[in-house]
Amino acid sequence: MDIKHHVIKDFAFADGTVLPSVSVAYAVLNASAKKTALVVTCFRGRITNTCTFTEGALRDHRVVVAALLGNGESSSPSNTPNFPQATLDYRDCVNAQYDLLANGLHIDSLDVVVGFSMGGQTTYHWLVMYPGMVKNAVIICSSASTSGHNVQFLEGPRFALENSIDYVPIANRRQPDGSVTDKPCVRGIQAFGKAYSAWLTSAEWFDQESYQTLGFDTRADWDFTTTGPNYNGWEADDLLTMLGMWQRGDVKKTGPTDSLQDTLGTIKAPVLLMPAETDQYFRPFVSKKEAGMIPKATLKVIPSIWGHLAGSGSNPVDTQWMDDQIVSFLGSK
Amino acid sequence: MDIKHHVIKDFAFADGTVLPSVSVAYAVLNASAKKTALVVTCFRGRITNTCTFTEGALRDHRVVVAALLGNGESSSPSNTPNFPQATLDYRDCVNAQYDLLANGLHIDSLDVVVGFSMGGQTTYHWLVMYPGMVKNAVIICSSASTSGHNVQFLEGPRFALENSIDYVPIANRRQPDGSVTDKPCVRGIQAFGKAYSAWLTSAEWFDQESYQTLGFDTRADWDFTTTGPNYNGWEADDLLTMLGMWQRGDVKKTGPTDSLQDTLGTIKAPVLLMPAETDQYFRPFVSKKEAGMIPKATLKVIPSIWGHLAGSGSNPVDTQWMDDQIVSFLGSK
């Protein structure tokens, strides 16, 4: 996959920070297709492991996959001095992606925006911030405003990492020339991974030993990879920065009032919401509530024991199910 | 409450360790009542904060409240050199409690054993290890064998604490005279508390801001107390030792074969199982499965958004509901 970088000069973040240069990493798939889709990465997502539906529901779409700020591919603490770690906001991601589309790729209309998890929260921001540009949206295992339960769950991995014996903030390791002294945070990141791991799927998934369908004989084998090697290449501060954006995620910041109803009421595009039945932190009852506030919402609950991962592309059965729903949603327009 | 200690000489643990002296902390409530009940503490439970139903369903019972080994009141890493931290087992708790009852209090029959969470897992062990002694059992928000999902969840707090910047194992701080050098583990225990906290209740509980019924205005206020002051007085190694016993919890170790069906099939006493509808780690579907393997089981699911805490005595409405079920269960005998 050909990953490119769109550079924006003098980019202003929502918190007032202005950086001389910010980069959005992206890739364009199905480049010759007529329709256009934007797919946004999720927490701990890279462009290449993002579920894009490029061979199914979006096969007729030119698909732009854009990496969130903070993910290590786009501008992030790991590659950018003075990055606003503690205040990064979904609005920044959307503004940067808008610049990529408008000024980089000369795209002024999106047939569909698709996002899973943090990508879904970004999609909510797209719908409210650029209502004229988004014709349809697909929001998978996500929410418009991060719930108290979700914020609290994220406190676990955050504190596990920040208080670990080998965590040293990147700001304390940056040299005058901008380079960074390497300081592996092996134990801290594993503790982060452990505190995150049981939330990923569901009690039923463990009960049915579904890690075996991923090639792991035992829970311990799955745990070893999931909380260890799967974090290879991730910088602690990038993880913490994205996690903070997620905790602060609230589309109301972009709305006409401080009411979720008023904010979601501004959405003009048809929206397909697909929470997963067993998702432990983006609960379906929240999506159902949000669907009631979006003028043209379709709610389809993924019938799966894969919990949050049902929406990630990890399980082919769930991915096919979502693909079918997207085909039907876009086809009915 | 008058907390006493029953001392057992030359106590043999299941792992083969023999300690010259092991102590079981306990209290006797309703001392003059005719019937006898045993109530066992839970994870992070002390005798005084254990829900005993002493004024309701068990008002006609002399109630012996016994502290689990490892809880800091009974023999534990914090107060006992050479305590078998890595291998402590529910069998040890039951054998020590049996000694308390048989040799300390001269009780040879229990009208009912009641346990919540780890106390419930202990109760399962009582039923299989001393079938002739237990006439009835009440098991609240628990399981016979710790599920893979539950084991994985506990890896979070465990790793957060063990890899924290201020954790020093107690064995490394014990002096030749048996005393322990104090080394506060403030950050490690807070990280433990954070990684545990979102599991305690439920997504619905946070959504409905039910922490307000506990006197906290905001989630952040509740979080502050729940992950900080609520751990005051807890030694890191006691927490880790109990957590390990929980992770290894499996009543099959005491059964006739390695089959849960065969093991639970040996239970002669009527058992009331009360999982909570929204419990995130002792899921009701597991209790339902176990109820199907116990010859005389009654399953009543606590209708509550308080998650695991529904069974803890934290919410008066749930406690009353359970009390009513216990009255009806014991009354029908």
Side-chain angles (χ1 to χ4, degrees):
Chain A
M1 199 180 290
D2 186 19
I3 295 178
K4 296 179 178 171
H5 289 82
H6 171 72
V7 175
I8 310 168
K9 297 290 172 198
D10 299 322
F11 182 82
F13 288 82
D15 73 347
T17 301
V18 177
L19 290 186
S21 170
V22 154
S23 156
V24 181
Y26 70 99
V28 180
L29 310 174
N30 294 345
S32 61
K34 282 188 181 172
K35 294 183 179 177
T36 303
L38 172 68
V39 178
V40 183
T41 62
C42 63
F43 182 71
R44 220 152 56 83
R46 307 284 201 193
I47 290 171
T48 50
N49 67 15
T50 297
C51 178
T52 58
F53 304 100
T54 317
E55 294 175 10
L58 299 187
R59 75 162 69 83
D60 297 332
H61 290 68
R62 172 173 54 152
V63 176
V64 180
V65 188
L68 290 177
L69 297 174
N71 91 321
E73 295 178 311
S74 291
S75 290
S76 305
S78 60
N79 58 29
T80 307
N82 305 314
F83 192 88
Q85 288 192 228
T87 49
L88 182 66
D89 193 278
Y90 284 116
R91 290 169 289 178
D92 303 321
C93 294
V94 170
N95 284 329
Q97 288 166 17
Y98 177 84
D99 197 278
L100 158 67
L101 296 174
N103 301 321
L105 300 171
H106 307 294
I107 291 169
D108 59 8
S109 174
L110 291 165
D111 292 286
V112 63
V113 179
V114 178
F116 159 69
S117 198
M118 285 187 74
Q121 297 197 305
T122 310
T123 304
Y124 268 116
H125 283 72
W126 262 105
L127 287 164
V128 177
M129 291 169 66
Y130 293 99
M133 192 153 163
V134 182
K135 290 189 188 162
N136 298 281
V138 176
I139 294 176
I140 302 166
C141 298
S142 192
S143 70
S145 178
T146 302
S147 73
H149 178 250
N150 199 334
V151 170
Q152 193 67 38
F153 135 53
L154 293 171
E155 289 287 278
R158 180 164 86 85
F159 268 65
L161 177 46
E162 288 181 344
N163 294 287
S164 68
I165 196 162
D166 55 4
Y167 169 62
V168 179
I170 200 163
N172 300 357
R173 294 184 278 122
R174 200 174 289 282
Q175 304 304 306
D177 68 357
S179 68
V180 174
T181 306
D182 196 33
K183 172 71 176 67
C185 180
V186 176
R187 291 176 62 181
I189 287 182
Q190 190 180 20
F192 181 102
K194 289 274 188 175
Y196 201 118
S197 58
W199 292 102
L200 284 168
T201 57
S202 75
E204 291 83 354
W205 185 87
F206 284 96
D207 189 57
Q208 298 181 30
E209 301 183 341
S210 300
Y211 36 77
Q212 293 183 347
T213 70
L214 293 174
F216 299 103
D217 286 343
T218 66
R219 182 200 56 73
D221 291 341
W222 172 82
D223 169 67
F224 176 84
T225 297
T226 302
T227 70
N230 279 5
Y231 281 87
N232 286 351
W234 283 94
E235 170 68 40
D237 282 84
D238 289 354
L239 292 171
L240 293 169
T241 298
M242 299 199 82
L243 185 149
M245 174 160 69
W246 179 358
Q247 286 189 309
R248 291 184 298 276
D250 187 356
V251 77
K252 296 198 296 292
K253 293 178 194 168
T254 67
T257 73
D258 193 33
S259 141
L260 191 61
Q261 173 76 71
D262 289 351
T263 303
L264 298 184
T266 68
I267 296 177
K268 294 180 169 53
V271 181
L272 172 61
L273 293 176
M274 291 192 283
E277 190 178 8
T278 52
D279 193 321
Q280 295 182 95
Y281 44 97
F282 285 113
R283 302 287 302 126
F285 78 83
V286 175
S287 296
K288 192 175 174 188
K289 209 179 283 185
E290 292 174 356
M293 301 179 188
I294 299 170
K296 298 180 193 165
T298 303
L299 177 74
K300 297 285 180 182
V301 182
I302 310 170
S304 171
I305 62 164
W306 282 66
H308 189 61
L309 289 194
S312 70
S314 302
N315 180 29
V317 174
D318 296 330
T319 307
Q320 184 60 53
W321 190 92
M322 291 190 289
D323 199 278
D324 292 345
Q325 302 300 323
I326 299 172
V327 166
S328 149
F329 170 71
L330 294 177
S332 67
K333 298 296 160 313
Chain B
M1 198 179 290
D2 185 20
I3 295 178
K4 297 179 179 172
H5 289 83
H6 171 71
V7 176
I8 310 167
K9 297 289 173 200
D10 300 322
F11 182 82
F13 288 82
D15 73 346
T17 301
V18 176
L19 290 186
S21 170
V22 154
S23 156
V24 181
Y26 70 100
V28 179
L29 311 175
N30 295 345
S32 61
K34 282 189 182 173
K35 295 184 179 177
T36 302
L38 171 68
V39 179
V40 184
T41 62
C42 63
F43 181 71
R44 220 152 59 81
R46 307 285 202 194
I47 290 172
T48 51
N49 67 16
T50 297
C51 179
T52 58
F53 304 100
T54 317
E55 295 176 9
L58 300 187
R59 76 163 68 84
D60 297 332
H61 291 67
R62 173 173 52 152
V63 176
V64 180
V65 187
L68 289 177
L69 296 175
N71 90 323
E73 295 178 312
S74 292
S75 290
S76 305
S78 60
N79 58 29
T80 308
N82 305 314
F83 193 87
Q85 288 194 224
T87 48
L88 182 66
D89 194 279
Y90 285 115
R91 289 170 288 178
D92 303 320
C93 294
V94 170
N95 284 329
Q97 288 167 17
Y98 177 83
D99 197 278
L100 158 67
L101 296 174
N103 302 321
L105 300 173
H106 307 293
I107 291 169
D108 58 8
S109 173
L110 291 164
D111 291 286
V112 63
V113 179
V114 178
F116 159 68
S117 198
M118 285 187 74
Q121 296 197 306
T122 310
T123 304
Y124 268 115
H125 284 72
W126 261 105
L127 286 164
V128 177
M129 291 170 66
Y130 294 97
M133 192 153 165
V134 183
K135 290 190 189 159
N136 297 282
V138 176
I139 294 177
I140 303 166
C141 298
S142 192
S143 70
S145 177
T146 301
S147 73
H149 178 249
N150 199 335
V151 169
Q152 191 67 38
F153 136 53
L154 293 171
E155 288 288 277
R158 181 164 85 84
F159 268 65
L161 177 45
E162 288 182 344
N163 294 286
S164 68
I165 195 160
D166 55 5
Y167 169 62
V168 179
I170 201 162
N172 300 356
R173 293 185 279 122
R174 201 174 289 281
Q175 305 304 307
D177 67 357
S179 68
V180 174
T181 306
D182 196 33
K183 172 70 175 69
C185 180
V186 176
R187 292 175 62 181
I189 287 182
Q190 190 180 19
F192 181 101
K194 290 274 188 175
Y196 201 118
S197 59
W199 293 102
L200 284 168
T201 58
S202 75
E204 292 82 353
W205 185 88
F206 284 96
D207 190 56
Q208 297 181 30
E209 300 182 342
S210 299
Y211 36 79
Q212 293 184 347
T213 70
L214 293 174
F216 299 103
D217 286 342
T218 66
R219 182 199 56 76
D221 292 342
W222 172 83
D223 169 67
F224 176 83
T225 297
T226 302
T227 70
N230 279 5
Y231 282 87
N232 285 351
W234 283 94
E235 171 68 40
D237 282 83
D238 289 353
L239 292 171
L240 292 170
T241 298
M242 299 200 82
L243 185 149
M245 175 161 66
W246 179 358
Q247 286 189 311
R248 291 184 297 275
D250 187 357
V251 77
K252 295 197 298 290
K253 292 178 193 168
T254 67
T257 72
D258 194 34
S259 141
L260 191 61
Q261 173 76 69
D262 289 350
T263 303
L264 297 185
T266 67
I267 297 177
K268 293 180 169 52
V271 181
L272 171 61
L273 293 175
M274 291 192 283
E277 189 179 9
T278 51
D279 193 320
Q280 296 181 93
Y281 45 96
F282 285 112
R283 302 288 299 128
F285 78 83
V286 175
S287 296
K288 193 175 174 187
K289 208 180 284 185
E290 292 174 356
M293 301 179 188
I294 299 170
K296 297 179 193 167
T298 303
L299 178 74
K300 297 284 180 183
V301 182
I302 309 170
S304 172
I305 62 164
W306 282 66
H308 189 61
L309 288 193
S312 70
S314 302
N315 180 30
V317 174
D318 296 329
T319 306
Q320 185 59 54
W321 190 93
M322 290 190 289
D323 199 279
D324 292 346
Q325 301 301 323
I326 298 172
V327 166
S328 151
F329 170 70
L330 294 178
S332 68
K333 299 295 158 317

